[in-house]
């Protein structure tokens, strides 16, 4: 009988330091931190979700209290060689965390916030979708990586959590380039699975105390989920997130391909959920901690001749559009578009909102992801 993937579900309804610390401390006891991190001298990289500079209350980034209290626990356990960083959507680590409180936490516990400084080509011949990556040097040189992700929706992959958070190990502009190399939700998901298998984070922690629903991952709405999830299996972790919001994990490309490619499992009979009060079934977890009205894309993808024709003709596809009443003409969408020649641009001048060329658009939704005013939606 195969060993089940263990997911720790920790109730936590506040970002108060004491509440977060107590929850994470219990989670590390249930997982046995000494078994996961046997060498207290190894170099550890803490990798939060730092999409862009934002108020932590907006649920765009991993909440500073979660990163800070986890760093505190590691310090108390005697781990002394830690750094924190991410390849952010805009800006760098120090700029994104400045003034959020995360910078103060990291300073308090002696964890340098590093700006990824260079890319290193790492070959991965066993990759299914990607045979090499340009990783941030700091990620490539760390012997242990811990992913501290955020519970959010995502326009391309439906949700972003543990598996998707690893994209921040890719260095700088190579992240944008990846969207043109792997333009579909499925190819992008398979690349992410390869990336997780290569980097092999030792532990995944998901901040779901306040999650993001709706127009995620950067323009959605905060919603209390009151949980922290922890696991060494990122697919199982993301799948528990899916079950809690009444979303079939098989509809999430990172979960579906993650299971097929051996990264982890989405199957509830292969997942063991532990809480501080003992084990619970998936059904019990949904009943106690679930939110069935969580706003996420639950539409099923159809595969047939009409769907293939529509895709080939570039019609009846999900696409981004700009709400001109909210647009401030800042140009972030234009700058973030990875398509050569730009699929969105100021074709009518800077005094008017940018315009899409849907024949060029690859539906990566980088523009929607990075818009600072929630002006770009997907329909």
């Amino acid at each position: 009988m195969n060993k089940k993937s263990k997911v720790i579900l920790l109730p936590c309804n506040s970002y108060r330091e004491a509440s977060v610390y107590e929850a994470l401390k219990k989670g590390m006891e249930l997982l046995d931190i000494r078994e996961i991190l046997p060498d207290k001298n190894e170099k550890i990289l803490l990798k939060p979700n730092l999409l862009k500079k934002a108020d932590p209350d907006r649920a765009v980034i991993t909440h500073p209290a979660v990163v800070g209290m986890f760093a505190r626990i590691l310090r108390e356990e005697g781990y002394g060689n830690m750094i924190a960083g991410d390849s952010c959507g805009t800006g760098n680590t120090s700029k994104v965390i400045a003034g959020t409180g995360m910078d103060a936490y990291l300073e308090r516990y002696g964890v340098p916030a590093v700006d990824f400084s260079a890319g290193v080509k790492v070959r991965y011949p066993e990759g299914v979708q990607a045979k090499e990556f340009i990783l941030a040097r700091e990620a490539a040189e760390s012997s242990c990586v811990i992913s501290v992700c955020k519970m959010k929706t995502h326009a391309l992959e439906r949700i972003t959590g543990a598996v998707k958070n690893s994209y921040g190990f890719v260095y700088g502009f190579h992240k944008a380039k990846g969207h043109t190399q792997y333009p579909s939700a499925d190819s992008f998901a398979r690349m992410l699975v390869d990336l997780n298998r290569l980097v092999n984070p030792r532990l995944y922690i998901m901040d779901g105390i306040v999650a993001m629903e709706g127009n995620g991952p950067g323009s959605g709405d905060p919603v209390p989920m009151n949980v922290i999830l922890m696991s060494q299996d990122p697919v199982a972790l993301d799948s528990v997130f899916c079950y809690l919001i009444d979303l079939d994990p098989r509809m999430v490309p990172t979960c579906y391909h993650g299971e097929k490619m051996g990264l982890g499992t989405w199957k509830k009979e292969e997942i063991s959920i532990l809480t501080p009060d003992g084990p619970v079934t998936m059904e019990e977890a949904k009943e106690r901690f679930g939110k069935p009205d969580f706003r996420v894309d639950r539409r099923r993808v159809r595969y047939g001749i009409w769907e293939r024709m529509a895709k080939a003709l570039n019609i009846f596809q999900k696409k981004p559009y700009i709400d001109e009443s909210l647009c401030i003409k800042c140009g972030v969408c234009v700058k973030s578009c990875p398509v050569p020649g730009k699929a969105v641009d100021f074709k009518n001048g800077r005094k008017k909102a940018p315009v899409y060329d849907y024949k060029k658009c690859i539906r990566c939704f980088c523009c929607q992801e990075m818009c600072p005013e929630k002006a770009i939606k997907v329909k």
Side-chain angles (χ1 to χ4, degrees):
M1 182 177 178
N2 292 332
K3 185 178 179 181
K4 289 188 175 184
S5 290
K6 185 188 295 185
V7 176
I8 309 300
L9 192 159
L10 304 161
C12 187
N13 60 10
S14 167
Y15 283 115
R16 288 176 53 250
E17 287 189 15
S19 300
V20 176
Y21 175 81
E22 183 179 338
L24 288 172
K25 186 80 171 175
K26 184 63 178 178
M28 294 311 292
E29 290 173 3
L30 292 171
L31 279 174
D32 193 350
I33 187 174
R34 293 172 182 85
E35 184 176 320
I36 296 172
L37 305 171
D39 181 1
K40 294 190 176 182
N41 295 313
E42 68 179 332
K43 187 174 183 179
I44 299 173
L45 169 62
L46 302 181
K47 195 281 179 195
N49 182 318
L50 299 177
L51 176 64
K52 58 186 177 182
K53 189 170 180 62
D55 186 323
D57 291 340
R58 288 180 54 195
V60 172
I61 63 173
T62 308
H63 198 281
V66 176
V67 179
M69 291 302 98
F70 185 69
R72 174 185 168 184
I73 292 169
L74 292 185
R75 280 291 181 207
E76 291 175 349
E77 291 290 333
Y79 299 94
N81 191 5
M82 292 184 285
I83 59 174
D86 186 16
S87 187
C88 311
T90 58
N92 53 33
T93 300
S94 57
K95 288 182 179 179
V96 171
I97 69 172
T100 63
M102 192 181 297
D103 48 347
Y105 277 120
L106 295 176
E107 185 176 343
R108 185 195 308 177
Y109 298 111
V111 181
V114 300
D115 298 328
F116 290 163
S117 58
V120 177
K121 182 182 288 188
V122 180
R123 300 195 182 281
Y124 189 55
E126 55 266 56
V128 174
Q129 185 72 56
K131 302 295 184 181
E132 68 177 32
F133 291 92
I134 307 298
L135 299 182
R137 184 178 65 189
E138 290 78 4
E141 292 178 351
S142 295
S143 57
C144 172
V145 169
I146 297 176
S147 175
V148 193
C149 62
K150 186 70 177 177
M151 183 183 281
K152 299 190 290 183
T153 50
H154 194 272
L156 182 65
E157 303 291 339
R158 298 182 191 258
I159 65 157
T160 175
V163 177
K164 175 66 172 59
N165 195 46
S166 289
Y167 201 43
F169 296 125
V170 174
Y171 178 68
F173 70 90
H174 294 280
K175 289 180 64 181
K177 185 179 178 182
H179 283 287
T180 61
Q181 292 175 299
Y182 315 107
S184 72
D186 288 302
S187 63
F188 194 74
R190 288 191 293 267
M191 175 275 296
L192 289 171
V193 174
D194 282 332
L195 177 59
N196 276 268
R197 291 167 64 208
L198 169 62
V199 178
N200 193 27
R202 196 82 57 84
L203 175 65
Y204 299 83
I205 301 169
M206 180 180 285
D207 167 18
I209 299 173
V210 176
M212 177 181 284
E213 65 177 354
N215 193 30
S219 299
D221 300 308
V223 57
M225 289 295 291
N226 300 320
V227 294
I228 297 173
L229 303 177
M230 305 173 72
S231 184
Q232 291 186 278
D233 179 342
V235 180
L237 187 66
D238 286 346
S239 297
V240 170
F241 169 24
C242 290
Y243 285 118
L244 291 179
I245 60 173
D246 199 28
L247 172 65
D248 186 342
R250 289 172 294 184
M251 296 169 63
V252 176
T254 50
C255 292
Y256 176 79
H257 294 291
E259 193 271 337
K260 287 189 68 175
M261 293 166 62
L263 179 63
T265 183
W266 56 261
K267 299 174 181 175
K268 61 182 178 181
E269 63 271 18
E270 296 177 359
I271 299 173
S272 171
I273 303 178
L274 274 179
T275 74
D277 298 324
V280 296
T281 65
M282 195 70 75
E283 288 71 23
E284 290 170 334
K286 285 177 64 176
E287 184 176 345
R288 289 174 57 185
F289 306 103
K291 185 173 175 57
D293 60 346
F294 188 98
R295 289 188 291 117
V296 64
D297 183 5
R298 298 185 181 86
R299 293 169 295 179
R300 292 199 172 272
V301 176
R302 298 178 181 177
Y303 295 99
I305 185 169
W306 297 114
E307 286 72 32
R308 290 195 295 271
M309 287 178 61
K311 190 169 185 178
L313 295 171
N314 207 18
I315 58 174
F316 305 125
Q317 304 294 307
K318 285 201 301 185
K319 63 181 181 181
Y321 71 97
I322 296 173
D323 183 339
E324 295 190 25
S325 68
L326 299 176
C327 180
I328 60 172
K329 292 84 174 175
C330 64
V332 168
C333 57
V334 177
K335 185 178 179 180
S336 63
C337 178
V339 177
K342 301 295 183 182
V344 57
D345 209 344
F346 287 102
K347 296 180 181 179
N348 299 322
R350 290 294 300 242
K351 292 184 178 181
K352 294 188 177 181
V355 176
Y356 282 98
D357 180 346
Y358 290 113
K359 292 182 180 179
K360 289 183 179 179
C361 182
I362 61 173
R363 274 65 171 178
C364 65
F365 306 112
C366 289
C367 54
Q368 173 261 358
E369 193 167 319
M370 300 313 302
C371 177
E373 298 297 322
K374 300 186 178 183
I376 301 181
K377 299 178 176 63
V378 176
K379 67 177 179 181

